[in-house]
Amino acid sequence: MPHNSVKHSTRLDVIPLKTAEKHPNSQRRFHVMSKPGGSKCNLDCQYCFYLHKDELLHQPKQPMMDDTTLEAFIKSYIESQDGHEIVFSWQGGEPTLLGLDYFKKIVQLQNKYRPSGVKIENDLQTNGILLNDEWCQFLKDNGFLVGLSIDGPKELHDKYRVTRSGKPTFNLVMAAAKRLQEHHVPFNSLVVVNRHNAKHPLDVYRFLTKELGATYIQFTPCVEAKDFTTTAPQFWNETMIPNKGSELAKPGHPMSIVTDWSVDPDDWGNFLNTVFVEWVNNDLGRVLVNLFETAVAQVMGKESQLCVTAEFCGKGLAMEHNGDVFSCDHYVYPEYKLGNIHDRGLNEFAFSIRQHGFGMAKRDSLPSYCKSCPHLKLCWGECPKNRLINTPNGEPGLNYLCSGIRAFFDESLPMLTGLSVLLQRQENTQK
């Protein structure tokens, strides 16, 4: 397939493959990020990649997944998978705006359709603003895992994460974290590493581990094409794409390919390297950091634990409040719509010719610059939605974060290798 094969995948038919059918001893596994409240949110984070969906998808002012669609989703999601554990993920926008009774209904429907011997788990991604004691007790009683968005100490968090009226939110989020801890609700810290906080890696990491008490941290680099509110990934104007090393391939330039709040790729590399050293020296085995954990696993020869560093993608769908299903959470654009839950089962979308083409294109669209990289099998071109630039010689399809990712693996690989050897020895002694 050509370099823009992700784009070309939108031309394939949504015809179910044989793997969509249930067979004895089969293992159909995929994930759906559900948006029951659409893009509605009580915050106005400048870097949010989802707030604009209300206009792009023509959502109503008060989007809410109705009872019929909610039940159809839960039923189909459970019936479409063969594993002994099924994980539901609820996101937005801000999903808690739907109210606690709505989530009680979710749990009731899950219990209604849960087969014997199957465990159902839920995770909720939230800004935490509405989490009172009643919410926290419900989350505890029903085993929810919470992903709490927080970008570091107050001066860094409040840079972009503000209310609709422009007020800071740090104190509100810290109050939510305290309530979750008091009710013994497990939560992950979700950190968007942007142009501002990326320059303060130790401040961010030490705050999370020492003041917030986080033991699981997810770092997500903020990378947004300047026209992300209207233009789907891989549908960019190819004549405007800069080469690696160009000033247009960094934030801040008037003609930059990305928004001003996107992380600088070199800052991303420095952020990872600085935090990695701190993590290894002080928190190894106590704090889990998503990007570091999967890097160690991949150096050991195991599969990536994250879609962004896996060889293929396509097993993470997204569903909007009206039942529309899309190829990925970051590809919720009309071009990547697969269909609607009322027309087909989720298994038919997840294991379709079109979605298969989308997932395979992650590897097949890599430029030769990536294929010759010594870190290819640790990176796999990262997320395709970030492949915004050309290689130094002008070949398209290079990841915007390439220089930072390379810098991280160049510096950290000896230590990653050492950790992998120690872990391998531990595994061998336990056999």
Side-chain angles (χ1 to χ4, degrees), residues 71-134:
E71 185 161 4
F73 163 59
I74 291 174
K75 181 175 184 293
S76 180
Y77 193 46
I78 292 174
E79 292 179 349
S80 295
Q81 306 204 50
D82 305 313
H84 296 296
E85 181 179 283
I86 299 174
V87 179
F88 284 81
S89 295
W90 308 98
Q91 197 187 52
E94 176 50 47
T96 59
L97 286 170
L98 294 170
L100 184 53
D101 287 342
Y102 191 91
F103 277 84
K104 290 179 179 178
K105 179 166 51 182
I106 286 173
V107 172
Q108 291 171 356
L109 289 170
Q110 290 172 338
N111 290 332
K112 177 180 177 180
Y113 291 104
R114 181 181 65 84
S116 176
V118 172
K119 182 180 181 181
I120 290 181
E121 295 189 349
N122 291 277
D123 56 65
L124 177 72
Q125 296 192 25
T126 176
N127 57 43
I129 304 302
L130 298 179
L131 294 183
N132 56 23
D133 288 331
E134 187 179 6

Side-chain angles (χ1 to χ4, degrees), residues 265-266 268-270 272-273 400-409:
D266 295 329
W268 174 238
N270 180 67
L272 290 178
N273 278 320
Y400 165 84
L401 295 169
C402 176
S403 61
I405 294 171
R406 279 202 174 203
F408 170 62
F409 285 121

